[in-house]
Amino acid sequence: MAIGMDKRMSKKPTKKATKTSRISGFHALDRLDRLDAVAAFSGLNNKTRNQFRNTGNLPEDLTGRLIENVIGTMNVPVGIATNMIVDGEEVLVPMATEESSVVAAVCNAARQCRNTGGITASTSGAHMIAQIQLVDVSDPQAARLKILERKSEISAICDEADPILIGLGGGFRDLEVRVLETQGGPMVITHLIVDTRDAMGANAVNTMAERLAPHIARWTNGTTYLRILSNLADRRLARARAVWKPSAIAVKGISGKKVRDGMMAAYHFAAADPWRATTHNKGIMNGISAVTLATGNDTRAIEAGAHAFAAISGQYSPLTRWEVDKDGNLVGTLEMPLALGIIGGATKAHPTARACLEIMGVETAEKLQRITAAVGLCQNFAALKALATVGVQKGHMALHAQNIALMAGAKGAEIDQIALKMTQKGSVRLDVAESELKLLRSKKI
Ligand code: NAD
């Protein structure tokens, strides 16, 4: 139902006596009618309601095609990481994030390894895993072999499900079957290994698993339940390495060698301690998730895969490794699953995601994986360096002070003035911002 503006404006949001979240037919309403319903439910004033009116750089008709029950969009800044050289190519990398210092950190790290050629990256291929769960089999070992015996039939069933993928050189690659002992008895778990080329591949492999499951049930006289990809994409690894010379990483008052040794100590801490490793990896994901989001990829899939991979040895560990080479240079490497696509999901549909790919000159998922891994490595370098020297707060402070000034109610030029006053005082706090703002405004009168 296309509903006219006048009609909508005349409808006053009325607060019902009994508040209920059971809103029948909510999904079928127009976006702005849904917004009215939410405004009525939550008692939003017009200013708050209007916060959702404009869908920014996402066309309104697309919002409802991406997800359900849309009322608006949530815009996040896109910044550009400069100075990056990836596999000999100069690249600018768009990063979508709400966190200050993340983009600047990558720029700094990338600048400091330009004199050694930047970052070298590679990938293990674009293989995704789909899992099919089989239960209720009294002879699971025999069932396992029955499935393995059908490999060529399975290959054909999978490939028939996605002729486009086959036409592009992708499709079924391999089969693995395990008997898994569980609390509910033995289960037979089939892994389909599928080359999904430039797609992340969730829908592609899920379709194959769903098509194949009834056959598996029939061949084994069992029952199949789950048929879905694994986000532990350990057949789709991205790798990055770079070298930083001590002379390039010195900071005011601290020699490059001392910085390097502090960074090594920070890495050794993370490698031995999961509490530290979690924050170490969070820093890496600051970069990885920002590129993932900017390109319309699935941040949750990437994050789940990253953390599962970090724990694959049984101890949650850093996704990067740091060493000192024979010349005393700091050498960083990163290896992690990166199931990124440039086709499918929002990657193709979202115009900003497409624009971000264009900025990077990305025409294959493989290149996107390499660039993203390079960003993750740089992000980790910058965090370790800051932590081993001046701490992270110094870098955070300028933008943080502006945020605090905004929270205190500063507007326009006042924001910078209040932020500066607080950093000069060495006291970036809301109460300080409020009193400085009061003082500033009293002087103006
Ligand atoms: P998709 O199904 O939208 O597109 C992939 C299809 O595009 C392929 O199957 C193929 O037929 C076609 N295609 C055209 N050109 C191609 C090329 N160059 N390379 C490869 N395929 C090409 O997308 P998808 O990647 O299968 O699924 C991604 C979406 O699935 C994401 O939105 C993700 O959020 C969502 N999803 C994720 C999970 C999960 O991670 N657990 C589960 C379900 C869905």
Side-chain angles (χ1 to χ4, degrees):
M1 170 183 69
I3 182 163
M5 198 56 205
D6 294 339
K7 188 177 164 198
R8 194 164 42 242
M9 295 308 277
S10 67
K11 271 204 287 180
K12 267 202 177 147
T14 47
K15 217 172 170 188
K16 291 192 185 108
T18 322
K19 204 166 153 172
T20 175
S21 63
R22 171 76 192 105
I23 309 177
S24 174
F26 185 77
H27 71 282
L29 296 176
D30 273 4
R31 183 178 73 89
L32 293 177
D33 290 337
R34 274 188 220 122
L35 187 49
D36 282 342
V38 172
F41 178 89
S42 303
L44 303 184
N45 63 25
N46 264 346
K47 188 168 175 252
T48 312
R49 181 192 173 282
N50 287 342
Q51 182 62 29
F52 293 98
R53 276 192 71 90
N54 186 342
T55 61
N57 60 11
L58 188 57
E60 178 167 12
D61 62 339
L62 189 59
T63 57
R65 288 205 206 112
L66 289 177
I67 68 161
E68 311 76 31
N69 288 0
V70 172
I71 60 163
T73 55
M74 169 77 192
N75 292 333
V76 171
V78 175
I80 294 288
T82 55
N83 306 329
M84 299 279 297
I85 304 174
V86 181
D87 294 320
E89 190 184 337
E90 301 276 351
V91 280
L92 294 177
V93 186
M95 300 174 68
T97 180
E98 85 301 340
E99 186 174 349
S100 60
S101 304
V102 164
V103 178
V106 177
C107 299
N108 288 332
R111 180 174 44 77
Q112 289 164 38
C113 67
R114 285 180 70 83
N115 60 352
T116 57
I119 302 103
T120 304
S122 62
T123 64
S124 66
H127 292 179
M128 297 298 286
I129 298 170
Q131 299 188 295
I132 301 171
Q133 179 196 29
L134 176 75
V135 299
D136 295 339
V137 276
S138 51
D139 50 352
Q141 296 296 343
R144 174 176 175 266
L145 296 204
K146 283 180 196 165
I147 299 168
L148 286 169
E149 285 157 20
R150 304 268 185 163
K151 185 170 173 181
S152 52
E153 212 173 321
I154 288 172
S155 169
I157 293 167
C158 290
D159 286 350
E160 262 169 33
D162 200 336
I164 295 177
L165 192 59
I166 308 311
L168 293 161
F172 176 89
R173 289 290 181 272
D174 207 356
L175 179 70
E176 285 171 354
V177 188
R178 290 175 299 139
V179 176
L180 193 66
E181 294 302 334
T182 78
Q183 290 178 18
M187 295 179 184
V188 183
I189 308 299
T190 300
H191 281 191
L192 304 173
I193 296 159
V194 180
D195 186 335
T196 62
R197 311 305 278 182
D198 287 320
M200 180 264 197
N203 290 314
V205 301
N206 292 350
T207 308
M208 292 180 185
E210 289 190 4
R211 292 267 178 98
L212 183 66
H215 297 280
I216 289 187
R218 187 165 41 82
W219 295 330
T220 59
N221 280 322
T223 309
T224 51
Y225 283 119
L226 273 60
R227 298 140 294 161
I228 189 161
L229 92 160
S230 168
N231 286 110
L232 177 48
D234 59 351
R235 309 297 178 97
R236 201 166 184 171
L237 300 177
R239 306 177 180 112
R241 68 181 169 84
V243 174
W244 282 268
K245 290 187 175 199
S247 56
I249 66 176
V251 296
K252 210 172 163 193
I254 312 177
S255 75
K257 282 189 180 151
K258 188 115 178 57
V259 172
R260 176 199 67 196
D261 294 345
M263 292 175 68
M264 286 303 297
Y267 164 62
H268 290 146
F269 177 15
D273 179 44
W275 281 270
R276 174 58 213 151
T278 306
T279 316
H280 180 103
N281 288 343
K282 189 274 180 185
I284 294 170
M285 298 312 288
N286 277 343
I288 302 278
S289 297
V291 183
T292 302
L293 186 60
T295 54
N297 272 285
D298 184 334
T299 50
R300 290 81 54 212
I302 296 297
E303 281 156 13
H307 297 295
F309 191 71
I312 209 158
S313 70
Q315 165 158 347
Y316 187 87
S317 303
L319 291 164
T320 50
R321 293 192 164 86
W322 293 89
E323 301 165 309
V324 176
D325 71 11
K326 63 176 176 25
D327 300 320
N329 300 317
L330 184 66
V331 183
T333 55
L334 173 142
E335 185 172 42
M336 61 181 288
L338 273 184
L340 294 168
I342 58 164
I343 293 282
T347 60
K348 247 314 198 241
H350 198 306
T352 310
R354 285 204 308 273
C356 287
L357 291 178
E358 199 173 326
I359 290 171
M360 287 184 279
V362 160
E363 281 168 2
T364 62
E366 197 265 347
K367 183 171 177 183
L368 179 58
Q369 276 179 282
R370 287 189 287 109
I371 292 174
T372 310
V375 167
L377 179 63
C378 285
Q379 199 80 60
N380 188 225
F381 169 91
L384 294 187
K385 183 176 172 186
L387 287 166
T389 55
V390 292
V392 287
Q393 283 311 96
K394 189 168 179 271
H396 272 297
M397 257 332 145
L399 280 175
H400 177 61
Q402 289 181 11
N403 284 341
I404 297 289
L406 261 170
M407 273 168 68
K411 294 204 167 57
E414 288 173 347
I415 299 168
D416 281 340
Q417 288 168 293
I418 302 298
L420 185 66
K421 277 268 183 240
M422 285 192 290
T423 28
Q424 279 169 348
K425 280 189 163 179
S427 178
V428 181
R429 294 198 322 253
L430 187 57
D431 59 318
V432 178
E434 280 167 352
S435 65
E436 286 296 337
L437 186 61
K438 225 182 209 170
L439 194 68
L440 184 76
R441 286 182 178 168
S442 69
K443 279 183 192 160
K444 278 185 190 159
I445 294 166

